[in-house]
Amino acid sequence: MKKCTILCGGVIEDIKTTAARADKMAYTICADSGYAYAKKLGLKPDAVLGDFDSYALENVQEENVRVFPVRKDYT
């Protein structure tokens, strides 16, 4: 079974453990400001998604980006 890491905003208590685990995963997704964690950890995400209300879209330097409207009826 393949495993995936999803990095999102918030506080990561143990950044070293998170980095070690994420590096072993088959697929990494970043949601909004989770992209900042990926960059800090030296990870290249397979996908970046979000409404980018907590992280500037122009700072995302990846190809696989999906943008959702800030105003939405579902998450």
Side-chain angles (χ1 to χ4, degrees):
M1 177 188 306
K2 293 183 179 182
K3 295 184 180 182
C4 172
T5 296
I6 301 174
L7 296 171
C8 55
V11 177
I12 295 179
E13 297 288 328
D14 186 352
I15 198 87
K16 289 181 182 178
T17 299
T18 300
R21 288 181 181 166
D23 195 41
K24 294 177 185 174
M25 298 297 155
Y27 200 82
T28 300
I29 299 170
C30 295
D32 265 341
S33 59
Y35 182 74
Y37 281 124
K39 299 309 283 182
K40 184 176 183 177
L41 297 171
L43 299 172
K44 177 154 176 55
D46 297 290
V48 181
L49 54 91
D51 57 15
F52 298 96
D53 62 346
S54 62
Y55 192 81
L57 179 59
E58 57 268 8
N59 293 331
V60 177
Q61 301 169 356
E62 305 298 328
E63 292 180 21
N64 193 5
V65 178
R66 185 149 182 211
V67 180
F68 296 92
V70 174
R71 232 182 134 174
K72 55 194 164 292
D73 294 327
Y74 64 95
T75 299

